[in-house]
Amino acid sequence: MFEANYPVYSMAEAAPDARAQFIRRTYMHLAGALLAFGLLETFLLRLDISRELSAKVLSMPYGWLMVLGGLMVGSWMARGLATAGSRGVQYLGLGMYVVLQALIFVPLMLMALAYAGPGLLVQAAIMTGLLFAGLTATVFITRKDFSFLGSILTVGGFVAIGLIVCAVLFGFSLGLWFSVAMIALAAGAILYDTSKVLHTYNEDQYVGASLELFASVALLLWYMIRLLMLLRD
């Protein structure tokens, strides 16, 4: 479904009805990805092997670096697939990214459940959803182009990766303010990705657009969980 039967334009050039159709498709795919993520995460958290593998990862000296490396490589592959020409390959990329995020979230969610119970996860999900809705509304209401955030997000992402690697190698905690900074970075990414939905993407790129939005929401949720865990410490 959703095969294009119209000329391909960027959203800045598309007619209003084509732009509205692209937006609907993008957010339908985002909703589907979030639903699949939630169902898969619930299933994984019920498996004994998830607890065993998570314990091994957390006990390994460089376990989190392996997780980070796997996320980076997998994200690169999934994004490449999601922007390919074939629609089936695009869906493969989106599905691959959802599965990858669900697997990587397992250790963090198990820690959160053991630390504070399911209430913390529910609170993190609600706060993430409210912040995402507010940022999305900001872009749609103002129609502002946030493409200038691209270079800032790239630099911030590399700095964050460097700090995470140093924290693992040298054994120090990044603490509360790092989580706050990462939430701000994720919020900037949501503004940037939403702006691209309105101004940059072509009409046939709704699968790739939904993947980028999902990635930003996942980043926001991860550090919202981390922040709430730190605040309860």
Side-chain angles (χ1 to χ4, degrees), residues 159-214:
V159 171
I161 292 171
L163 288 173
I164 293 170
V165 171
C166 290
V168 173
L169 291 177
F170 302 113
F172 62 85
S173 175
L174 292 171
L176 177 70
W177 291 108
F178 180 78
S179 293
V180 173
M182 290 303 296
I183 288 173
L185 187 71
I190 291 171
L191 289 174
Y192 175 73
D193 294 334
T194 308
S195 176
K196 287 179 66 178
V197 169
L198 287 182
H199 303 290
T200 305
Y201 284 113
N202 293 333
E203 289 177 284
D204 62 345
Q205 292 181 312
Y206 45 86
V207 177
S210 65
L211 186 151
E212 295 299 333
L213 285 168
F214 176 78

Side-chain angles (χ1 to χ4, degrees), residues 18-191:
R19 184 181 296 112
Q21 185 181 52
F22 173 82
I23 292 171
R24 284 197 303 271
R25 290 175 172 178
T26 298
Y27 284 92
M28 283 175 61
H29 282 75
L30 173 61
L34 290 171
L35 177 60
F37 171 82
L39 293 174
L40 182 57
E41 197 68 38
T42 301
F43 171 74
L44 291 173
L45 291 174
R46 294 177 180 270
L47 299 178
D48 291 335
I49 192 173
S50 297
R51 297 182 179 86
E52 295 171 3
L53 292 177
S54 297
K56 288 183 180 180
V57 169
L58 294 173
S59 63
M60 294 172 62
Y62 303 114
W64 278 117
L65 284 185
M66 294 172 60
V67 171
L68 179 61
L71 176 61
M72 292 175 64
V73 173
S75 298
W76 174 75
M77 294 176 61
R79 283 182 163 95
L81 293 173
T83 55
S86 168
R87 187 71 67 230
V89 174
Q90 292 179 7
Y91 283 118
L92 176 62
L94 178 59
M96 174 182 170
Y97 192 78
V98 170
V99 172
L100 179 66
Q101 285 285 4
L103 291 172
I104 288 174
F105 262 82
V106 168
L108 177 66
M109 288 198 171
L110 287 174
M111 289 172 59
L113 288 171
Y115 188 76
L120 185 145
L121 295 179
V122 172
Q123 185 180 358
I126 292 173
M127 293 174 66
T128 298
L130 290 175
L131 184 54
F132 174 76
L135 294 168
T136 301
T138 298
V139 177
F140 275 85
I141 292 172
T142 65
R143 301 284 173 172
K144 184 175 176 59
D145 185 356
F146 286 92
S147 59
F148 66 90
L149 291 175
S151 57
I152 299 173
L153 294 171
T154 299
V155 174
F158 279 115
V159 171
I161 292 171
L163 288 173
I164 293 170
V165 171
C166 290
V168 173
L169 291 177
F170 302 113
F172 62 85
S173 175
L174 292 171
L176 177 70
W177 291 108
F178 180 78
S179 293
V180 173
M182 290 303 296
I183 288 173
L185 187 71
I190 291 171
L191 289 174

